[in-house]
């Protein structure tokens, strides 16, 4: 019994200690003038859905619940955000070239259409981030129209 107690105390101490290691979750940037939200491409319902289910890993406006800010899950998350933003950052949308935007719209369509995005681990804690069939077809339509608009 004594050993179990010691192990539990050691685990608790370890858990508290790791909270002091910086997670690397990036600071939110309130300056968001290059955001896709301000571009002429963004339609209401699709934007709302993307805000809910993509912006936490693909923008400078990240909103995670408190329990995801706790180590060690926060490390995983910080990694997702870093990785996600390096592929696609909706907050820096206007800084992409037209060719990049068109490529990204194609990727967005593929990723959401095939159910690869949002990441499964994210859906576990964000049930409302899941897209239903209707929302997916709205997104596909939006992405096609947006690409056509860019090519004009
Ligand atoms: C929990 C974090 C997270 C969420 C939420 C998320 N993504 Fe991602 N996304 C990533 C990571 C990590 C990568 C890079 C690794 C990969 O492709 O799996 C990525 C990659 C991508 C890529 C690039 C794929 C490629 O082939 O280069 C696209 C496009 C994308 N995500 C779109 C989206 C869209 C659209 C949403 C919302 C519906 C979304 N993601 C939600 C983490 C996330």
């Amino acid at each position: 019994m004594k050993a179990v107690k010691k192990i539990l105390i050691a685990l608790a101490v370890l858990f508290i200690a790791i909270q002091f290691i910086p997670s690397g979750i990036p600071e939110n940037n309130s300056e968001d003038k290059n955001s896709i939200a301000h571009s002429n491409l963004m339609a209401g319902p699709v934007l709302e859905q993307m805000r809910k289910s993509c912006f936490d890993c693909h923008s400078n406006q990240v909103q995670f619940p408190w329990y995801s800010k706790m180590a060690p899950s926060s490390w995983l998350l910080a990694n997702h955000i870093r990785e996600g933003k390096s592929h696609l950052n909706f907050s820096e949308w206007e800084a992409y070239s037209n060719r990049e935007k068109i490529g990204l719209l194609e990727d967005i369509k593929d990723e959401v259409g095939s159910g690869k995005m949002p990441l499964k681990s994210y859906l576990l804690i964000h049930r409302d981030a899941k897209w239903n069939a209707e929302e997916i077809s709205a997104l596909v339509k939006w992405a096609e129209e947006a690409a056509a608009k860019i090519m004009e």
Side-chain angles (χ1 to χ4, degrees), residues 49-58 64 77 79-88 90 103-112 116-123 126 129 131 139:
Q49 187 71 16
M50 297 234 273
R51 249 195 229 291
K52 249 190 336 212
S53 55
C54 317
F55 277 40
D56 278 347
C57 299
H58 291 289
F64 275 103
L77 232 143
N79 209 29
H80 280 163
I81 297 172
R82 250 196 320 272
E83 268 266 320
K85 285 212 294 197
S86 73
H87 286 260
L88 162 65
F90 285 118
L104 285 169
L105 286 166
E106 196 60 36
D107 289 344
I108 292 169
K109 228 167 60 176
D110 291 349
E111 296 290 314
V112 178
K116 277 196 238 144
M117 288 286 151
L119 289 181
K120 296 226 159 48
S121 56
Y122 181 79
L123 291 176
H126 292 87
W131 298 62
L139 174 94

Side-chain angles (χ1 to χ4, degrees), residues 16-151:
I16 292 165
I18 62 174
Q19 303 310 318
F20 292 96
I21 302 171
S23 70
I25 291 186
E27 287 285 316
N28 277 341
N29 188 348
S30 56
E31 178 72 28
D32 211 23
K33 63 179 182 344
N34 281 337
S35 171
I36 194 168
H38 306 316
S39 78
N40 62 346
L41 300 177
M42 236 18 212
V46 174
L47 172 62
E48 281 323 303
Q49 187 71 16
M50 297 234 273
R51 249 195 229 291
K52 249 190 336 212
S53 55
C54 317
F55 277 40
D56 278 347
C57 299
H58 291 289
S59 84
N60 300 335
Q61 312 296 321
V62 171
Q63 288 177 321
F64 275 103
W66 62 269
Y67 50 83
S68 59
K69 297 202 176 95
M70 235 160 33
S73 52
S74 56
W75 302 339
L76 187 76
L77 232 143
N79 209 29
H80 280 163
I81 297 172
R82 250 196 320 272
E83 268 266 320
K85 285 212 294 197
S86 73
H87 286 260
L88 162 65
N89 187 343
F90 285 118
S91 294
E92 299 296 337
W93 182 258
E94 290 301 345
Y96 291 124
S97 69
N98 282 352
R99 181 199 275 256
E100 284 170 325
K101 286 179 185 164
I102 289 168
L104 285 169
L105 286 166
E106 196 60 36
D107 289 344
I108 292 169
K109 228 167 60 176
D110 291 349
E111 296 290 314
V112 178
S114 65
K116 277 196 238 144
M117 288 286 151
L119 289 181
K120 296 226 159 48
S121 56
Y122 181 79
L123 291 176
L124 288 179
I125 52 168
H126 292 87
R127 291 181 189 275
D128 61 342
K130 198 166 167 49
W131 298 62
N132 64 34
E134 210 172 296
E135 287 159 343
I136 292 176
S137 38
L139 174 94
V140 169
K141 188 159 164 276
W142 166 78
E144 280 163 1
E145 285 170 2
K149 215 184 268 183
I150 292 167
M151 277 190 270

Side-chain angles (χ1 to χ4, degrees), residues 3-17:
V4 173
K5 206 168 162 191
K6 270 191 190 150
I7 290 168
L8 287 178
I9 291 171
L11 280 177
V13 169
L14 182 69
F15 179 76
I16 292 165

